[in-house]
Amino acid sequence: MPSHKLRLDRSRHAAPQVFEHLREQIMSLELAPGAPLSRVTLAEAYGLSQTPIRDALMKLAEEALVEIYPQHTTVVSRIDIAAARQAHFLRRSIELEIVHVLAQQPDPLLVQRLQASIDRQRVCHAAGQYQEFMAADQAFHRDMHAAAGVTALWDMEQRYSGHVDRLRRLHLPEAGKAERIMDDHQRVLDAIAAGDAPRAQQALREHLSGTLSQVAEICKRYPDYVQAD
């Protein structure tokens, strides 16, 4: 069940807010793979009827983040390695073109914004704030999409990213992982700022390959959380 109570914004529909809150907790692994999600208990926890809870769970199921067993139960899905690989392929394909476009005409304001994101990542890492670190990591990539004028593609990628992003969350606490992420981001940014598209693409390709290159080890460490290929 949710580890902290959601304060509902009464100006918005309840179901999207419950969806966002549960998704955040699934992505952070506060709701771990295999965790049961009782519609009745969730309704009591959020102070809502079961209708918005059902709608939120159905949307989570569309992203394959939960598995709904009618008349039985709903559980947080295990991390599907095959789905993670496909989401990674999609993101890599899109972002390779994005960094190429951005490096062709470097924007000083974008460079400043991306540098601020990296600086924020360093602060979060120093404080051991993994979830905040991941948010700053996501902001770095989202800002590149926005600068390239393809924000809608970012939204699309997020609908498929649940498995690969949870895999990255499992990998993040490993020694040296966060440092590599920040160093990779800096290399991508420096290449964009220098107008060097091939170098930006190579840095991005190496950056995005990090977690999936360690899939076997992650599966070995967290066998109850993953569903192998």
Side-chain angles (χ1 to χ4, degrees), residues 102-119:
L102 297 179
Q104 287 182 319
Q105 290 185 312
D107 178 355
L109 292 179
L110 174 63
V111 170
Q112 290 179 16
R113 190 157 61 249
L114 295 179
Q115 187 62 60
S117 179
I118 295 173
D119 293 343

Side-chain angles (χ1 to χ4, degrees), residues 37-208:
L37 295 172
S38 162
R39 192 184 299 178
V40 172
T41 305
L42 286 171
E44 293 175 352
Y46 287 117
L48 296 168
S49 71
Q50 289 191 36
T51 299
I53 303 300
R54 179 201 62 202
D55 293 346
L57 291 176
M58 288 179 65
K59 190 170 181 181
L60 288 168
E62 289 174 3
E63 293 193 9
L65 292 176
V66 303
E67 296 177 358
I68 299 175
Y69 300 95
Q71 310 303 321
H72 182 50
T73 189
T74 297
V75 298
V76 177
S77 66
R78 296 171 71 189
I79 299 170
D80 186 325
I81 301 301
R85 292 188 190 280
Q86 292 189 58
H88 169 263
F89 185 93
L90 175 65
R91 181 169 175 178
R92 183 183 62 189
S93 301
I94 292 172
E95 289 202 13
L96 283 172
E97 183 61 24
I98 285 174
V99 298
H100 183 271
V101 168
L102 297 179
Q104 287 182 319
Q105 290 185 312
D107 178 355
L109 292 179
L110 174 63
V111 170
Q112 290 179 16
R113 190 157 61 249
L114 295 179
Q115 187 62 60
S117 179
I118 295 173
D119 293 343
R120 174 62 180 161
Q121 292 164 37
R122 297 193 188 284
V123 170
C124 294
H125 173 56
Q129 299 171 330
Y130 291 122
Q131 199 57 25
E132 291 80 357
F133 178 92
M134 288 196 70
D137 179 352
Q138 292 281 75
F140 180 89
H141 292 272
R142 185 177 61 247
D143 285 348
M144 289 198 298
H145 281 69
V150 292
T151 304
L153 292 183
W154 171 261
D155 295 336
M156 179 194 71
E157 289 170 63
Q158 293 309 290
R159 293 195 292 273
Y160 294 96
S161 72
H163 293 285
V164 71
D165 284 347
R166 284 191 294 165
L167 202 62
R168 290 190 177 108
R169 179 62 182 84
L170 284 176
H171 193 202
L172 183 57
E174 297 295 323
K177 174 59 178 176
E179 289 87 350
R180 286 193 296 275
I181 290 173
M182 294 181 290
D183 289 346
D184 287 349
H185 284 170
Q186 192 68 59
R187 289 170 54 232
V188 171
L189 175 55
D190 290 347
I192 290 173
D196 190 336
R199 181 156 60 94
Q201 289 184 311
Q202 182 59 30
L204 179 77
R205 186 178 287 106
E206 292 173 2
H207 168 53
L208 291 181

Side-chain angles (χ1 to χ4, degrees), residues 8-18 52:
L8 288 170
D9 178 351
R10 297 299 174 182
S11 69
R12 297 176 59 205
H13 290 299
Q17 296 181 71
V18 173

